Amino acid sequence: MSTSTRSIFLGVGGYLPERIVTNHDLAEWVDTNDEWIRERTGIRARHFAAEGEFTSDLAVRAAAEALENSGIAAEQIDLIILATTTPDNTFPATASLVQQRLGAFRSAAFDIQAVCAGFIFGLATADAFLRVHRARHALVIGAETFSRILDWKDRTTCVLFGDGAGAVVLEAREGEGGLGDHGILSARLHTDGRHYDKLYVDGGPSTTGTSGFVRMVGREVFRQAVARTVESIETLLQENQLAITDIDHFILHQANERILKAAMEKLGAPFEKAVLTISEQGNTSAASVPLAMRHAHQEGILKRGDLIVLEALGGGLSWGTLLARW
Ligand code: ACO
């Protein structure tokens, strides 16, 4: 078997803002109720960033924890990729500010925009750099202050999202080239721009000059999320000659517990294998997958050597699926 450079997960970190907003809290300023939100989505509470607390602040906290857990100094990082839909400013990249605050001055740093799929797009991009020896250590972050682009008059969207950040540190290491290797084994990214208007923000620097608010055709996104998640995971497993039963944990985007249940059922995978954070965090967009990884790691669910599938779908529509050994 030929040798192959693999991107190993050295450590994971995360940060959730202090302020917790329960469904009951929301019901005080939005025409909604706890029962509707829990039944339709599985969400009970979410975290919102404080006034003056920005995406970069969340990202720095998550990144610092990931670096600490990895035993890697900021100066050793040569690539920072920050997945976000809610950058501090239109430019420069929020990753640039994160680099400055971490003191990771050796690194190239840029943002990636694939909404909720952003972290998977970021991981796949970092993996491509590491595998061709363009970088040895990469910091991949998903960070969002989605609360800033919610329309509080639209109860069908504003109850779904929360703020947060998650991060991982990757290291390039030589593996055997087979599925027994640790690290990222396979990744697939997809976009179907025909669904551009199913989930979008109605503003931007080139159109309205404002940042706009989230707009979503909820039922269609729900349908697409289940179908694309199942299809992309099945394809990824087939390509690697694996069965659903070979996967230890499914770390999927936390958009709606009903989407997760439907996808797991269609895959024929037991729901216990799905990592869940949705009830206490809501949908944190690009932060949801790394925050779920951090949760699984902290709770001892994720053990070294476990085979995992990561998957997320969001606006674009864009979705990404990744197979890795922890
Ligand atoms: N509180 C109370 N009632 C509500 C609320 C609310 N927050 N929102 C909607 N309703 C009402 C509606 O007005 C409607 O009432 P009516 O029957 O009297 O007209 C009723 O509830 C049903 O509304 P639907 O929109 O049909 O509800 P549905 O069962 O489709 O659930 C939901 C809506 C939860 C948004 C669902 O469609 C969904 O989860 N979609 C996918 C969301 C998703 O995955 N988003 C990903 C975003 S990822 C990213 O890229 C940002």
Side-chain angles (χ1 to χ4, degrees):
M1 213 179 275
S2 63
T3 61
S4 175
T5 307
R6 297 291 192 194
S7 306
I8 308 289
F9 291 100
L10 283 189
V12 59
Y15 174 71
L16 290 160
E18 261 172 49
R19 182 180 172 209
I20 295 171
V21 177
T22 65
N23 294 342
H24 295 292
D25 296 332
L26 268 187
E28 285 179 21
W29 77 86
V30 177
D31 179 17
T32 189
N33 57 78
D34 175 57
E35 195 188 353
W36 190 95
I37 302 173
R38 270 193 294 106
E39 276 180 9
R40 303 281 173 138
T41 70
I43 300 167
R44 205 191 62 81
R46 74 286 289 142
H47 295 246
F48 282 166
E51 207 180 316
E53 191 175 33
F54 306 125
T55 294
S56 58
D57 298 311
L58 276 50
V60 167
R61 300 279 291 257
E65 190 183 279
L67 285 168
E68 195 184 326
N69 290 338
S70 305
I72 288 286
E75 305 82 60
Q76 289 174 269
I77 297 292
D78 11 52
L79 178 66
I80 298 177
I81 301 180
L82 171 61
T84 189
T85 301
T86 47
D88 285 20
N89 294 104
T90 304
F91 87 83
T94 302
S96 196
L97 194 51
V98 172
Q99 189 235 39
Q100 181 211 101
R101 301 219 355 233
L102 292 173
F105 298 118
R106 255 187 53 188
S107 64
F110 58 88
D111 290 358
I112 224 167
Q113 158 61 299
V115 204
C116 300
F119 181 74
I120 308 286
F121 274 58
L123 276 184
T125 305
D127 182 47
F129 275 79
L130 265 58
R131 287 171 70 102
V132 296
H133 308 279
R134 291 272 160 85
R136 176 138 192 268
H137 291 114
L139 175 62
V140 184
I141 310 165
E144 302 278 18
T145 44
F146 232 77
S147 61
R148 307 267 152 80
I149 53 168
L150 297 177
D151 178 356
W152 299 109
K153 291 188 211 73
D154 177 7
R155 65 177 182 172
T156 65
T157 53
C158 71
V159 301
L160 304 174
F161 297 92
D163 301 337
V168 297
V169 175
L170 299 173
E171 181 178 81
R173 271 195 216 158
E174 288 312 305
E176 298 290 325
L179 290 179
D181 285 352
H182 287 266
I184 297 174
L185 301 171
S186 191
R188 281 220 157 229
L189 305 178
H190 310 265
T191 299
D192 187 346
R194 286 171 295 186
H195 299 295
Y196 185 89
D197 59 354
K198 303 287 174 7
L199 177 55
Y200 68 103
V201 159
D202 61 358
S206 180
T207 51
T208 60
T210 61
S211 42
F213 295 115
V214 175
R215 304 294 173 215
M216 178 173 77
V217 186
R219 289 207 169 173
E220 183 57 16
V221 174
F222 190 109
R223 207 179 64 74
Q224 289 290 335
V226 174
R228 301 287 84 82
T229 299
V230 171
E231 178 188 282
S232 62
I233 293 176
E234 283 178 347
T235 305
L236 189 80
L237 294 185
Q238 270 164 23
E239 282 172 354
N240 289 282
Q241 294 167 341
L242 289 168
I244 286 287
T245 47
D246 293 320
I247 304 303
D248 296 302
H249 309 289
F250 293 82
I251 308 183
L252 311 180
H253 175 46
Q254 309 284 305
N256 183 324
E257 195 174 301
R258 280 165 53 219
I259 294 179
L260 295 171
K261 277 198 174 128
M264 293 296 280
E265 198 180 311
K266 281 186 197 293
L267 284 167
F271 192 55
E272 304 76 66
K273 283 193 175 185
V275 174
L276 291 178
T277 57
I278 177 98
S279 98
E280 306 308 309
Q281 298 177 12
N283 179 350
T284 58
S285 183
S288 104
V289 169
L291 278 170
M293 291 172 83
R294 177 201 192 217
H295 169 81
H297 179 60
Q298 282 181 339
E299 297 298 313
I301 298 166
L302 196 52
K303 295 179 199 69
R304 194 166 156 72
D306 281 351
L307 202 51
I308 56 175
V309 163
L310 310 179
E311 198 276 343
L313 172 138
L317 293 178
S318 283
W319 62 102
T321 317
L322 193 141
L323 175 73
R325 192 174 292 286
W326 187 248

